[in-house]
Amino acid sequence: MSELDVHEAITQVHRAEWARVVASLARRFGDLDVAEEAAAEAFATAVERWPADGVPPNPGAWLTTTANRRAIDRLRRESKRGDKQKEAQMEYDVPPEPLGAVDDERLRLIFTCCHPALAMETRVALTLRMVGGLTVPEIARAFLVQETAMGQRITRAKAKIKAARIPYRVPAAEDLPARVSGVLAVLFLVFNEGYLATGPDTDPVRHELTAEAIRLTRLIRGLLPHDGEVAGLLALMLLTEARRPARISASGELVSLDQQDRGAWDAAMIAEGHRLVRERLAAGQAPGRYQILAAINAVHTSARDVRDTDWSQIVALYNQLIRVDPTPIVALNRAIAVAELDGPEVALAAVDALDGKLAGYHAYHATRADLLRRMGRSQESRAAYGKAIELAGNTAEVAYLTRRRDQLG
């Protein structure tokens, strides 16, 4: 195996094993700082040793064992020689847990990080870091904030968990409703990072993240089978993931929804997503954010051709969504739908009104560029594409935006 292949293997193992290793250490040592730093040291050791020694037969067990050693070493350095260290040493002497134990470990860590003692945004950010394995820059981009501010937020959250002695366990059934909204927000953002990665140093689509977000959402649905937002999020993920095979071209460029080969979409996922949406409609309850988003995606995936899309229904759903979730990004997405119904001029006015809130968001500039192009304002469109390219991190999206800009001449 070449050194390049080894580094690729390490990258794949990191994506698959990060959360399991962190969750295992957090449970054993009761400290998120120790867990994260020991896991990071274990992966750093793998980067040093695996190119020379080769990838071990069970990379996950190797990482868990190495991370346990690093954690124990740190506790010794800090002179924490109490019962926790003795228990940890005993755990270390026991063979690593089988990889199949990941479900309970990960669920425990998700619910710990989403404790109601933490502010909602803090819960989400911390869980994305500890469970999703996303980097601080990736999380900062998801929240549209500065990297330093996000790093401080995560550090404070870990300190609060430690100071409050929040236990590392799945809460009782009666505790779930108070925490589930944070859990869903985490899973939604993990899914989004997988569906369209924000950084230039990763694959443009990270299937391991979307698959894990779907798996965990199914687990939550098993715990809360009558929760409409859980069902809505699962439907949204399925209907979005179903389009993944058609989203990246053979040349590595993003393929927009109107240009996708709909025959390549996953029919089974679409059928399951539609069934969930119909179930929520039949329930007769006021829908929340994820249920409305799922309904929007159900309209898109019901059209056999983009020309068959019911844009009036999509705009009506966005009107409903913006009352539930009045954020600038929802307003931007609504404007995109309005452009199909009422024309680019009407949509551009709505988009320009968001400049002060989304000036640092690449999709805002990409939307403006497309609307300006459709209106024949090529010079302004080129400038907007240039700004979108500057802010975008996803390599497939950059390739798409660059081609669109260059077509303007």
Side-chain angles (χ1 to χ4, degrees):
M1 182 180 286
S2 70
E3 184 170 334
L4 182 62
D5 290 336
V6 171
H7 280 286
E8 176 62 24
I10 293 171
T11 299
Q12 295 299 325
V13 171
H14 182 281
R15 294 172 181 172
E17 296 291 338
W18 169 265
R20 189 186 68 81
V21 174
V22 170
S24 176
L25 295 176
R27 178 176 62 83
R28 293 176 182 181
F29 297 98
D31 191 315
L32 284 174
D33 281 324
V34 170
E36 184 180 20
E37 291 183 18
E41 289 179 14
F43 278 100
T45 302
V47 171
E48 292 177 2
R49 291 178 52 181
W50 289 6
D53 300 344
V55 179
N58 190 335
W62 188 98
L63 288 164
T64 300
T65 300
T66 303
N68 268 285
R69 290 171 179 163
R70 297 295 185 269
I72 291 168
D73 288 345
R74 173 176 169 168
L75 292 177
R76 284 173 176 162
R77 289 195 303 270
E78 296 177 358
S79 300
K80 295 180 178 177
R81 300 177 181 274
D83 292 340
K84 278 187 181 179
Q85 183 181 329
K86 293 177 183 177
E87 292 172 8
Q89 183 65 57
M90 290 175 64
E91 293 245 14
Y92 163 65
D93 289 335
V94 175
E97 294 173 282
L99 295 181
V102 65
D103 291 355
D104 290 342
E105 292 278 13
R106 186 163 294 190
L107 203 57
R108 181 182 294 110
L109 190 55
I110 288 176
F111 277 106
T112 296
C113 294
C114 287
H115 196 281
L118 303 173
M120 178 61 75
E121 284 193 348
T122 302
R123 297 181 215 174
V124 175
L126 178 64
T127 313
L128 287 172
R129 178 74 194 105
M130 305 306 298
V131 184
L134 272 62
T135 65
V136 173
E138 287 170 340
I139 300 169
R141 287 193 290 268
F143 280 86
L144 302 181
V145 301
Q146 294 295 315
E147 181 180 339
T148 53
M150 183 54 66
Q152 292 169 357
R153 185 182 299 176
I154 292 171
T155 298
R156 287 194 298 268
K158 288 190 289 185
K160 185 166 185 177
I161 282 179
K162 186 174 182 179
R165 299 180 181 276
I166 295 172
Y168 293 85
R169 61 175 177 81
V170 176
E174 58 268 22
D175 298 326
L176 292 178
R179 302 194 190 189
V180 72
S181 59
V183 173
L184 297 183
V186 166
L187 296 178
F188 181 53
L189 289 176
V190 169
F191 180 87
N192 284 347
E193 179 62 28
Y195 194 67
L196 190 64
T198 58
D201 52 351
T202 65
D203 294 335
V205 173
R206 298 173 63 180
H207 176 56
E208 81 283 354
L209 287 183
T210 57
E212 184 64 358
I214 291 172
R215 186 185 71 83
L216 290 171
T217 304
R218 289 191 188 279
L219 283 178
I220 303 300
R221 180 157 163 77
L223 291 170
L224 297 168
H226 303 298
D227 189 298
E229 283 293 82
V230 176
L233 181 58
L234 180 57
L236 171 61
M237 289 179 176
L238 292 170
L239 294 172
T240 308
E241 178 71 356
R243 304 198 300 265
R244 179 175 56 85
R247 291 189 73 244
I248 305 295
S249 70
S251 62
E253 182 180 311
L254 185 72
V255 180
S256 59
L257 179 62
D258 61 310
Q259 296 295 317
Q260 288 176 17
D261 175 8
R262 300 188 175 214
W265 291 355
D266 189 311
M269 279 191 176
I270 290 174
E272 184 180 0
H274 285 181
R275 178 179 57 77
L276 287 168
V277 170
R278 288 194 299 271
E279 286 179 5
R280 294 314 310 157
L281 288 173
Q285 299 172 348
R289 175 194 184 195
Y290 300 118
Q291 293 170 78
I292 299 171
L293 284 169
I296 291 169
N297 276 269
V299 177
H300 280 301
T301 51
S302 295
R304 294 187 176 183
D305 187 277
V306 66
R307 293 169 294 186
D308 301 327
T309 304
D310 187 345
W311 290 107
S312 61
Q313 186 177 359
I314 289 176
V315 170
L317 287 167
Y318 270 117
N319 290 341
Q320 190 175 3
L321 178 61
I322 208 161
R323 291 193 291 269
V324 174
D325 186 24
T327 62
I329 291 179
V330 171
L332 178 67
N333 289 331
R334 178 186 178 279
I336 294 171
V338 166
E340 300 301 325
L341 192 65
D342 298 326
E345 295 85 357
V346 176
L348 183 61
V351 170
D352 283 344
L354 301 171
D355 179 58
K357 299 175 181 177
L358 295 178
Y361 183 41
H362 78 279
Y364 164 77
H365 298 283
T367 301
R368 286 194 77 249
D370 182 65
L371 295 173
L372 290 164
R373 177 188 58 79
R374 291 166 63 178
M375 295 166 62
R377 294 160 62 176
S378 298
Q379 187 172 354
E380 294 172 86
S381 179
R382 278 186 60 85
Y385 274 124
K387 188 63 176 177
I389 292 165
E390 177 187 329
L391 293 171
N394 186 284
T395 54
E397 197 166 13
V398 168
Y400 167 76
L401 293 169
T402 302
R403 179 177 61 81
R404 297 287 279 181
R405 181 196 62 187
D406 294 347
Q407 285 176 339
L408 292 169

Coordinates of all heavy atoms in Angstrom, one line a residue, residues 45-80:
T45 N -1.1 9.9 15.9 CA -0.1 8.8 16.0 C -0.3 7.9 14.8 O 0.7 7.4 14.2 CB -0.3 8.0 17.3 OG1 -0.1 8.9 18.4 CG2 0.7 6.9 17.4
A46 N -1.6 7.7 14.4 CA -1.8 6.9 13.2 C -1.2 7.5 11.9 O -0.6 6.8 11.1 CB -3.3 6.7 13.0
V47 N -1.3 8.8 11.8 CA -0.7 9.5 10.7 C 0.8 9.3 10.6 O 1.4 9.1 9.6 CB -1.0 11.0 10.7 CG1 -0.2 11.8 9.7 CG2 -2.5 11.2 10.5
E48 N 1.5 9.2 11.8 CA 2.9 9.0 11.9 C 3.3 7.5 11.6 O 4.3 7.3 10.9 CB 3.4 9.4 13.3 CG 3.3 10.9 13.6 CD 3.8 11.2 15.0 OE1 4.2 10.3 15.7 OE2 3.7 12.4 15.4
R49 N 2.5 6.6 12.2 CA 3.0 5.2 12.2 C 2.5 4.3 11.1 O 3.1 3.5 10.6 CB 2.6 4.6 13.6 CG 3.5 5.2 14.7 CD 3.1 4.6 16.1 NE 3.1 3.2 16.1 CZ 2.7 2.4 17.2 NH1 2.4 3.0 18.3 NH2 2.8 1.1 17.1
W50 N 1.2 4.6 10.7 CA 0.6 3.7 9.7 C 1.3 3.7 8.4 O 1.4 2.7 7.7 CB -0.9 4.0 9.5 CG -1.7 3.6 10.7 CD1 -1.3 3.1 11.9 CD2 -3.1 3.6 10.8 NE1 -2.3 2.9 12.8 CE2 -3.5 3.2 12.1 CE3 -4.1 4.0 9.9 CZ2 -4.8 3.1 12.5 CZ3 -5.5 3.9 10.4 CH2 -5.8 3.5 11.7
P51 N 1.8 4.9 7.9 CA 2.6 4.8 6.6 C 3.8 3.9 6.7 O 4.1 3.3 5.6 CB 3.0 6.3 6.4 CG 2.0 7.1 7.1 CD 1.6 6.3 8.3
A52 N 4.4 3.7 7.8 CA 5.6 2.9 7.9 C 5.2 1.4 8.3 O 5.7 0.5 7.8 CB 6.5 3.4 9.0
D53 N 4.2 1.3 9.3 CA 3.9 0.0 9.8 C 2.7 -0.7 9.0 O 2.5 -1.9 9.2 CB 3.4 0.1 11.3 CG 4.5 0.7 12.1 OD1 5.7 0.7 11.7 OD2 4.2 1.1 13.3
G54 N 2.0 0.1 8.3 CA 0.8 -0.4 7.6 C -0.5 -0.2 8.4 O -0.4 0.0 9.6
V55 N -1.6 -0.2 7.8 CA -2.9 -0.1 8.5 C -3.2 -1.4 9.2 O -3.1 -2.5 8.7 CB -4.0 0.2 7.5 CG1 -5.4 0.3 8.2 CG2 -3.7 1.5 6.7
P56 N -3.5 -1.3 10.5 CA -3.7 -2.5 11.3 C -5.0 -3.2 10.9 O -5.9 -2.6 10.2 CB -3.9 -1.9 12.8 CG -4.2 -0.5 12.6 CD -3.6 0.0 11.3
P57 N -5.1 -4.5 11.2 CA -6.3 -5.2 10.8 C -7.6 -4.7 11.3 O -8.6 -4.7 10.6 CB -6.0 -6.7 11.3 CG -4.5 -6.7 11.5 CD -4.1 -5.3 11.9
N58 N -7.6 -4.1 12.5 CA -8.8 -3.5 13.1 C -8.4 -2.1 13.5 O -8.1 -1.8 14.6 CB -9.2 -4.3 14.3 CG -10.6 -3.9 14.9 OD1 -11.0 -2.8 14.6 ND2 -11.3 -4.8 15.5
P59 N -8.5 -1.2 12.6 CA -8.1 0.2 12.8 C -8.9 0.8 14.0 O -8.3 1.6 14.8 CB -8.4 0.9 11.5 CG -8.5 -0.1 10.5 CD -9.0 -1.3 11.2
G60 N -10.2 0.5 14.1 CA -10.9 1.1 15.2 C -10.5 0.7 16.6 O -10.3 1.5 17.5
A61 N -10.2 -0.6 16.7 CA -9.7 -1.1 18.0 C -8.3 -0.5 18.3 O -8.0 -0.2 19.5 CB -9.6 -2.6 18.0
W62 N -7.5 -0.4 17.3 CA -6.1 0.2 17.5 C -6.2 1.6 18.0 O -5.5 2.0 18.9 CB -5.4 0.2 16.1 CG -3.9 0.6 16.2 CD1 -2.8 -0.2 16.3 CD2 -3.4 1.9 16.1 NE1 -1.7 0.5 16.3 CE2 -2.0 1.8 16.2 CE3 -4.0 3.2 16.1 CZ2 -1.2 3.0 16.2 CZ3 -3.2 4.3 16.1 CH2 -1.8 4.2 16.1
L63 N -7.1 2.4 17.4 CA -7.3 3.8 17.8 C -7.9 3.9 19.2 O -7.4 4.8 19.9 CB -8.2 4.5 16.8 CG -7.6 4.8 15.4 CD1 -8.7 5.1 14.4 CD2 -6.6 5.9 15.5
T64 N -8.8 3.0 19.5 CA -9.4 3.1 20.9 C -8.3 2.8 21.9 O -8.2 3.4 22.9 CB -10.6 2.1 21.0 OG1 -11.6 2.4 20.0 CG2 -11.2 2.1 22.3
T65 N -7.5 1.7 21.6 CA -6.5 1.4 22.6 C -5.5 2.5 22.7 O -5.1 2.9 23.8 CB -5.8 0.1 22.1 OG1 -6.7 -1.0 22.0 CG2 -4.7 -0.3 23.1
T66 N -5.0 3.1 21.6 CA -4.1 4.2 21.6 C -4.6 5.4 22.3 O -3.9 6.0 23.1 CB -3.6 4.5 20.2 OG1 -3.1 3.4 19.5 CG2 -2.6 5.6 20.2
A67 N -5.9 5.7 22.1 CA -6.5 6.8 22.7 C -6.6 6.6 24.2 O -6.4 7.6 25.0 CB -7.9 7.1 22.1
N68 N -7.0 5.4 24.6 CA -7.0 5.1 26.1 C -5.7 5.4 26.7 O -5.6 5.9 27.8 CB -7.4 3.7 26.3 CG -8.9 3.5 26.4 OD1 -9.5 3.9 27.5 ND2 -9.6 3.1 25.4
R69 N -4.6 4.9 26.1 CA -3.3 5.2 26.6 C -3.0 6.7 26.8 O -2.4 7.1 27.8 CB -2.2 4.5 25.7 CG -2.2 3.0 25.8 CD -1.3 2.4 24.7 NE -1.3 1.0 24.7 CZ -0.8 0.2 23.7 NH1 -0.4 0.8 22.6 NH2 -0.8 -1.1 23.8
R70 N -3.3 7.4 25.7 CA -3.1 8.9 25.8 C -3.9 9.5 26.9 O -3.4 10.4 27.6 CB -3.4 9.5 24.4 CG -2.6 9.0 23.3 CD -1.1 9.4 23.4 NE -0.4 9.0 22.2 CZ 0.3 7.9 22.1 NH1 0.2 7.0 23.1 NH2 1.0 7.6 21.0
A71 N -5.1 9.1 27.1 CA -6.0 9.7 28.1 C -5.4 9.4 29.5 O -5.3 10.2 30.4 CB -7.4 9.1 28.0
I72 N -5.0 8.1 29.7 CA -4.4 7.7 31.0 C -3.1 8.5 31.2 O -2.8 9.0 32.3 CB -4.1 6.2 31.0 CG1 -5.5 5.5 31.1 CG2 -3.3 5.9 32.3 CD1 -5.4 4.0 30.8
D73 N -2.3 8.7 30.2 CA -1.1 9.5 30.3 C -1.4 10.9 30.7 O -0.7 11.5 31.6 CB -0.3 9.5 29.0 CG 0.4 8.1 28.8 OD1 0.5 7.3 29.7 OD2 0.8 7.9 27.6
R74 N -2.4 11.5 30.1 CA -2.7 12.8 30.5 C -3.2 12.9 31.9 O -2.8 13.9 32.7 CB -3.8 13.4 29.5 CG -4.3 14.7 30.0 CD -5.3 15.3 29.0 NE -6.0 16.5 29.7 CZ -6.7 17.4 29.0 NH1 -6.9 17.2 27.7 NH2 -7.2 18.4 29.7
L75 N -4.0 12.0 32.4 CA -4.5 12.0 33.7 C -3.4 11.9 34.7 O -3.3 12.5 35.8 CB -5.5 10.9 34.0 CG -6.9 11.1 33.2 CD1 -7.8 9.9 33.5 CD2 -7.6 12.4 33.7
R76 N -2.4 11.1 34.4 CA -1.2 10.9 35.2 C -0.4 12.2 35.3 O 0.0 12.6 36.4 CB -0.3 9.8 34.7 CG -0.9 8.4 35.0 CD 0.0 7.4 34.3 NE -0.5 6.0 34.6 CZ -0.2 4.9 34.0 NH1 0.6 5.0 32.9 NH2 -0.6 3.7 34.3
R77 N -0.3 12.9 34.1 CA 0.5 14.1 34.1 C -0.2 15.2 35.0 O 0.5 16.0 35.6 CB 0.6 14.6 32.7 CG 1.6 13.8 31.8 CD 1.9 14.6 30.5 NE 0.8 15.0 29.8 CZ 0.2 14.2 28.8 NH1 0.8 13.1 28.5 NH2 -0.8 14.7 28.1
E78 N -1.5 15.1 35.0 CA -2.2 16.1 35.8 C -2.5 15.7 37.2 O -3.2 16.3 38.0 CB -3.6 16.4 35.1 CG -3.5 17.0 33.7 CD -4.8 17.2 33.0 OE1 -5.8 16.8 33.6 OE2 -4.8 17.8 31.9
S79 N -1.8 14.5 37.6 CA -1.9 14.0 38.9 C -3.3 13.7 39.4 O -3.6 13.8 40.6 CB -1.2 15.0 39.9 OG 0.1 15.3 39.6
K80 N -4.1 13.3 38.5 CA -5.5 12.9 38.8 C -5.5 11.4 39.0 O -5.8 10.6 38.1 CB -6.5 13.3 37.8 CG -6.6 14.8 37.6 CD -7.6 15.1 36.5 CE -7.8 16.6 36.4 NZ -8.7 17.0 35.3

